Amino acid sequence: MSTQTLNPTVAAVTERIIERSRLTREAYLNRIRAMRQNRPERNRLGCSNLAHGYAAMPKTVKIEMLREHTPNLGMISAYNDMVSAHQPFAAFPAWIKDEVGKHGATAQVAGGTPAMCDGITQGYEGMELSLFSRDVIAMSTAIGLSHQMFDGAMFFGVCDKIVPGLLIGALSCGHLPGIFVPAGPMTSGIGNKEKARTRQKFAEGKVGRDELLASEMASYHSPGTCTFYGTANSNQMIMEFMGLHLPAAAFHNPETPIREALTRYAAAHLVQSIQNRSIKPIGEMLSEKSFVNAIIGLMATGGSTNHTMHIIAMAKAAGILINWDDFDELSKVIPLLIRVYPNGQADINHFAATGGLPFVIRELRRSGLLHDDVDTVMGHGMQAYTQEPFLLNGKLEWHDAVSASADEDILRPIERPFSKDGGLCLMKGNIGRGIIKVSAVREGNRIIEAPAIVFEDQKEVLAAFERGELERDFIAVVRFQGPRANGMPELHKLTPPLGILQDKGFKVALITDGRMSGASGKIPAAIHMSPEALLGGNIGKIQTGDLIRFNSETGELNVLIDEHEWRQRTIPQPDLRRNHHGLGRELFAAFRNQTSSAETGAMSFGGDFA
């Protein structure tokens, strides 16, 4: 199918990113090109070094590895059997070793990375390690690949910080080609409306813990990714928009024949691409246009707000500099094509069944709203990603995306979008700069002018709610929740009580330098406020009773106060000692002390990283 001329806003934003990144991108490419050789990387190693790398392998595999032109793949896995999305990865190494052996190659598990679950740590101390686990994963990935035993790499990860961490680590070894291999979502459990209703009843004291737990277990019930459209499934979308997956690989369930077939195919495809030199190293393959495509995908699908940090951090790892103005401008021209919980009631399985990502990519591509001049693991261009796989007589075949959505309450063509602009908006004013997932907020709740109530911990909000002190119009300001303060935890525990107050007819909103992620829900929330309070951000100056104008339609976020008085205010110094010890938080002091702002990726790596 032919494509229209590229949208002028997409072209202009891309050109601005290219120009802004010219020096850092050139420096990055020079570094990774210096690492490339025209022979297997392991041939650089001495005999003793190689013997250590071969020692644990079966004799038949050793014989193959000793052949000079036998590709050896390194597998980096985020497997554990506590996180449902990562449990399926247990089977992948055996499948891949078997498959590559059929194609004259070998494979080794090069290393593992941690994979924590925000759903488990939500509202508890462990959540304060979550954001920085991304940087640990990046370093773990680099450590696994640092042995220089590999001619290509396969990356197994799904959830919130894991995929961004894997890609940052992969880009640090960007002279190697690689492919990302997903595990897929769990099958659908109870409906999202029913789950949300039970949560709200529990918050209101109308049902007990037993009924709440039964509801949650009926929702999160099997191996695979959680089925709402949060950060994990947004990760998978982005990998396809960037051409790092096989086409439409993301949303097939675990423990199915097609999931095993896709995994094996990915391994064989990478081997063959290395053998015939048809795949670029990952650091060269991903360009400024690839990252713009990722942002476009985020807007068109109403994806997770976490990616306003992760895309910036991943791009920076490739020497590419992106900021929130780029997101905001692209959002204005990218239509919203899907509604999946929390933007709607459907889950990710329903979305895939109606036409899924191949449909979305085709619609954007044919309308000039997606870069087609990009390299992917499938070759050049995005045409392959407008197709979906089928397992026919034991063989994978890709067919064109469906011509029409099976359910326009979930997925729509570009002529009839859910909205003409994307799911995210930049909020800015005298408080600072932040992000809102406006696609999740009903139109009548998008503009609020109300007094502030200031909190310095989400537990303070919950306690005030329990005491009945929040039965009014107000804007909750929850500060000292940024990366420097306490690791920038997600604040999902605030959604049920604020939702109850909104349902009672009160005008409520949230402003925070913390996170709300992809499940921010129906409450208007300006999050990731930058600079954060601990770095002198003006969110720290707000006092209870200050009148705030919160307009997510125009992006205005201002304290309505005399300018002279505003300048004279100082920021209180919080006691954060309780956030810096226990459950390993003391080990992350260096991360907190040197992390960058949310808008620059909240990265703990050095300033010359790009």
Side-chain angles (χ1 to χ4, degrees):
M1 181 180 292
S2 62
T3 60
Q4 292 185 10
T5 303
L6 189 66
N7 177 278
T9 298
V10 174
V13 171
T14 305
E15 186 54 41
R16 187 174 65 212
I17 293 170
I18 291 171
E19 185 57 36
R20 185 192 303 141
S21 308
R22 195 168 300 280
L23 294 179
T24 50
R25 178 63 173 169
E26 182 181 5
Y28 171 78
L29 291 174
N30 287 340
R31 288 199 301 270
I32 65 169
R33 285 168 178 161
M35 291 290 293
R36 289 182 62 184
Q37 289 193 354
N38 292 322
R39 55 178 182 159
E41 187 171 33
R42 64 186 181 278
N43 284 2
R44 306 180 190 193
L45 301 180
C47 293
S48 178
N49 307 78
L50 285 170
H52 279 83
Y54 296 155
M57 305 307 291
K59 185 174 181 179
T60 54
V61 176
K62 286 181 185 178
I63 292 170
E64 290 299 319
M65 294 178 82
L66 287 167
R67 302 182 194 278
E68 182 168 348
H69 296 293
T70 297
N72 186 37
L73 303 185
M75 295 178 277
I76 304 290
S77 178
Y79 162 75
N80 67 55
D81 61 10
M82 176 196 66
V83 180
S84 62
H86 294 85
Q87 185 269 353
F89 291 132
F92 283 27
W95 294 344
I96 287 166
K97 290 178 182 181
D98 177 66
E99 190 65 30
V100 300
K102 301 173 185 176
H103 297 273
T106 58
Q108 295 173 291
V109 176
T113 77
M116 67 182 295
C117 177
D118 289 5
I120 297 172
T121 58
Q122 193 62 247
Y124 296 94
E125 290 80 357
M127 174 56 79
E128 295 178 18
L129 305 183
S130 174
L131 179 59
F132 292 137
S133 76
R134 181 195 65 190
D135 297 11
V136 174
I137 291 161
M139 292 186 286
S140 301
T141 300
I143 289 169
L145 298 178
S146 70
H147 296 96
Q148 296 184 261
M149 288 285 295
F150 311 111
D151 306 293
M154 303 184 73
F155 303 94
F156 312 152
V158 173
C159 288
D160 296 14
K161 315 308 171 297
I162 293 91
V163 168
L166 287 171
L167 184 51
I168 292 168
L171 288 166
S172 75
C173 299
H175 62 292
L176 296 175
I179 190 168
F180 279 64
V181 186
M186 65 179 68
T187 56
S188 299
I190 64 169
N192 288 306
K193 183 180 290 187
E194 182 182 349
K195 177 180 67 176
R197 186 184 302 117
T198 303
R199 286 179 175 179
Q200 185 146 325
K201 285 183 177 179
F202 179 77
E204 294 171 328
K206 294 179 179 178
V207 301
R209 183 179 174 85
D210 289 347
E211 187 168 342
L212 176 65
L213 181 59
S215 172
E216 296 295 325
M217 292 186 70
S219 178
Y220 309 112
H221 61 93
S222 70
T225 318
C226 304
T227 58
F228 68 89
Y229 194 49
T231 309
N233 285 318
S234 297
N235 280 339
Q236 305 313 300
M237 174 276 298
I238 282 172
M239 290 299 98
E240 300 207 4
F241 268 80
M242 294 179 75
L244 287 167
H245 278 174
L246 294 180
F251 300 133
H252 293 273
N253 305 122
E255 300 178 344
T256 58
I258 195 169
R259 174 53 64 202
E260 179 176 351
L262 284 165
T263 302
R264 287 176 173 272
Y265 191 103
H269 178 74
L270 181 57
V271 166
Q272 292 166 345
S273 299
I274 292 169
Q275 289 170 332
N276 61 29
R277 299 178 183 272
S278 62
I279 189 170
K280 288 186 176 181
I282 195 167
E284 293 186 23
M285 187 183 83
L286 297 182
S287 68
E288 295 89 342
K289 294 177 182 179
S290 306
F291 285 98
V292 170
N293 280 356
I295 299 172
I296 290 167
L298 192 71
M299 300 305 171
T301 62
S304 168
T305 54
N306 273 329
H307 281 295
T308 61
M309 292 185 296
H310 294 327
I311 290 174
I312 289 170
M314 293 185 291
K316 192 174 182 182
I320 296 167
L321 305 179
I322 294 172
N323 63 39
W324 286 345
D325 291 316
D326 303 325
F327 282 79
D328 194 53
E329 289 189 37
L330 289 169
S331 183
K332 289 178 171 60
V333 298
I334 304 301
L336 181 67
L337 300 184
I338 83 168
R339 282 209 180 279
V340 176
Y341 188 82
N343 294 350
Q345 293 306 317
D347 70 20
I348 204 71
N349 293 309
H350 303 141
F351 164 64
T354 62
L357 290 175
F359 183 99
V360 174
I361 290 171
R362 183 196 65 204
E363 293 296 289
L364 294 168
R365 183 175 175 267
R366 74 178 177 86
S367 303
L369 291 171
L370 195 70
H371 285 291
D372 204 45
D373 183 20
V374 290
D375 293 307
T376 75
V377 296
M378 301 302 295
H380 193 71
M382 292 297 293
Q383 170 66 32
Y385 290 84
T386 66
Q387 299 182 318
E388 60 181 319
F390 294 86
L391 190 60
L392 304 174
N393 299 317
K395 183 180 178 181
L396 277 175
E397 296 180 10
W398 271 265
H399 297 170
D400 288 343
V402 295
S403 59
S405 167
D407 186 342
E408 289 201 7
D409 288 334
I410 300 171
L411 174 65
R412 291 188 180 179
I414 207 152
E415 292 82 7
R416 295 184 296 279
F418 290 102
S419 68
K420 293 182 179 180
D421 54 13
L424 296 174
C425 176
L426 175 64
M427 300 287 286
K428 57 186 178 181
N430 61 10
I431 300 174
R433 289 163 63 89
I435 292 292
I436 184 170
K437 187 172 180 176
V438 71
S439 60
V441 181
R442 291 181 180 176
E443 289 188 9
N445 296 324
R446 293 180 180 179
I447 303 174
I448 298 173
E449 193 169 298
I453 304 178
V454 177
F455 304 93
E456 296 185 358
D457 190 286
Q458 64 176 323
K459 293 177 183 177
E460 295 177 5
V461 185
L462 300 175
F465 173 78
E466 292 294 333
R467 293 192 299 266
E469 297 173 359
L470 303 181
E471 303 273 328
R472 49 179 154 152
D473 293 354
F474 72 100
I475 295 177
V477 177
V478 187
R479 62 193 184 190
F480 297 109
Q481 303 299 306
R484 290 271 180 133
N486 63 354
M488 204 180 190
E490 291 178 354
L491 306 175
H492 286 180
K493 292 284 186 181
L494 301 182
T495 301
L498 294 178
I500 290 169
L501 295 168
Q502 182 174 272
D503 289 346
K504 287 183 176 182
F506 298 112
K507 291 284 190 178
V508 295
L510 172 68
I511 300 172
T512 182
D513 47 12
R515 296 185 291 129
M516 289 291 280
S517 176
S520 54
K522 60 187 181 181
I523 306 303
I527 60 177
H528 304 180
M529 290 305 302
S530 297
E532 65 175 284
L534 198 65
L535 286 179
N538 283 346
I539 187 175
K541 291 184 177 182
I542 301 173
Q543 297 176 3
T544 295
D546 286 344
L547 192 62
I548 295 177
R549 181 174 293 144
F550 186 116
N551 188 334
S552 60
E553 294 185 354
T554 64
E556 180 187 358
L557 188 63
N558 281 307
V559 178
L560 305 181
I561 191 173
D562 177 75
E563 187 176 343
H564 176 73
E565 180 185 345
W566 186 242
R567 287 199 306 266
Q568 295 302 309
R569 283 191 184 178
T570 59
I571 298 172
Q573 294 301 307
D575 183 357
L576 296 171
R577 288 175 294 181
R578 68 184 184 279
N579 300 103
H580 293 170
H581 294 85
L583 292 177
R585 285 178 288 177
E586 58 271 26
L587 304 178
F588 286 76
F591 290 71
R592 290 190 298 271
N593 291 341
Q594 65 183 29
T595 185
S596 64
S597 68
E599 187 168 7
T600 54
M603 301 182 78
S604 64
F605 304 121
D608 61 350
F609 180 71

